[in-house]
Amino acid sequence: MALIAAVDLGSSKVVALIAEVDAYGELNVIGFGRVNQDRAIERGMITKLESAANAIQSALREAQEMAGVKTTSVVIGISGPSLKSQNEREIVHISTPPSRITQENIDRIIERVLSRSREDGYEVISAIPRRYTLDDQEVAYDPIGLVASKMQSEVHVIKFASNPVRNIENVLSGLGFEVRERFASPIASAEAVLSQEEKEEGVLLIDLGAGLTSYCVYAEGSPLLTGSISIGGINITKDVGHFMKVSVEQAERIKVEQGCALTEMVSEDEEITIVPRGETSPIRLARKKLVEVIQIRLEEIAEAVRQELNKNKIDLEALHAGIVITGGSAKIEGMKVFTERFFQSAARIGLPVGVIGLRDKLQDPSYSVVVGLLKLAYHKRFRSVVSQQQDGKNQFHDKLSRAFDKLKSILREII
Ligand SMILES: Nc1ncnc2c1ncn2[C@@H]1O[C@H](COP(=O)(O)OP(=O)(O)OP(=O)(O)O)[C@@H](O)[C@H]1O
Ligand SMILES: [Mg+2]
């Protein structure tokens, strides 16, 4: 029975899932663990080693206990302010006269792109070939076996600061877990919530979390832009706290229970009751005031995403499938309408799909990353460079040990 464990290190919670691949080839989630954490992991980075390790261990232990299995390797999501991407073009000569394209030709392209994308302090999380052009004319998405004399490819390279990744991996290895694969978190969210059709038509995915707003753009079926901005639901909560002079816990509750993304969705006579600092009795306040505070921050976040698209010359109008919002803050009432108005584009809220088991629990946009990690690992899509290299080494070891076995049996026969 194949098992996959995934961990999402969010700014508000650590969540772990364990899935088995059932007899029908479906991903069946059998273990779930969640630990709400406060400031041990902020914006994708570990800020308090011991507390972070405790949260990760508890989430994984909870998931293992529910599943009744032990796992020693995990798939993790990476996100944070240093997440960035670039698209690189590379050409390889296949042969004259033309011959069939092999995996080695593709590996050559990736190797060259990797050596060209090297940057101090950063490491490549994924290198994803977007499409191939054969002999300057034909476009191919899976070129292995096709005949050509030269092949050009555009590769989407996703990078992240090396030290924060190392810190996460060190914590996990200290807990006895090997990091089997790493994926950029917004790519995992995309895997969980987007349909293939949306990816083909062009879509902007926004994962509106607690500390981060991570995003990726898909066009022609593959990622074109990946990144993350350091603002999220925590900022909205803090604004509500400041404005209403209430504690962060109270502000969080008010936001979740009474919040809304658009003032025009709230009528003038709606009221909320709060007890500000220094007051002993509750006071009434127009709900519209609360929603104004939320909307202003949401507009700032949306504007920051728009700037990123502009900077990268991506035209939203060309993304025919519009925008999909996921992450915990997608649950703010009115987020769909807010997004449609702000970006002048179609929008929907994305919930994770494509796994069975614990469906009710996982029908929540906060779990898009962790569900997507399971799916990416299972379908072996967009494999991280490290795991591909390890696979290469493993294949080498496999070949070597097969050669030894053969040698041993020959020797036995001779003896
Ligand atoms: N019903 C709701 N209304 C408004 N906000 C909500 C609601 N439910 C959750 N949130 C917000 O969602 C955020 C948590 O989302 P999520 O779990 O996606 O974040 P995370 O993955 O922990 O953090 P990040 O990805 O930013 O590091 C919190 O800021 C929380 O206040
Ligand atoms: Mg998150």
Side-chain angles (χ1 to χ4, degrees), residues 10-13 209-212 233-234 252 255-256 327-329 331-332 366:
S11 307
S12 71
K13 90 289 179 187
L212 295 169
I234 288 173
E252 176 71 16
K255 177 185 83 170
V256 168
S329 299
K331 290 191 273 187
I332 300 174
S366 321

Side-chain angles (χ1 to χ4, degrees), residues 17 44 51 56 74-75 80 137 178 186-187 201 207 232 238 252 266:
L17 291 185
S51 323
I56 295 168
V74 290
V75 182
Q137 0 175 345
E178 174 218 3
I187 298 290
E201 286 193 3
D207 183 316
K238 282 187 183 161
E252 176 71 16
V266 174

Side-chain angles (χ1 to χ4, degrees), residues 8-13 79 185 189 207-212 214 327-328 366 369:
D8 173 24
L9 311 171
S11 307
S12 71
K13 90 289 179 187
S79 197
S185 300
S189 288
D207 183 316
L208 200 48
L212 295 169
S214 305
S366 321
V369 170

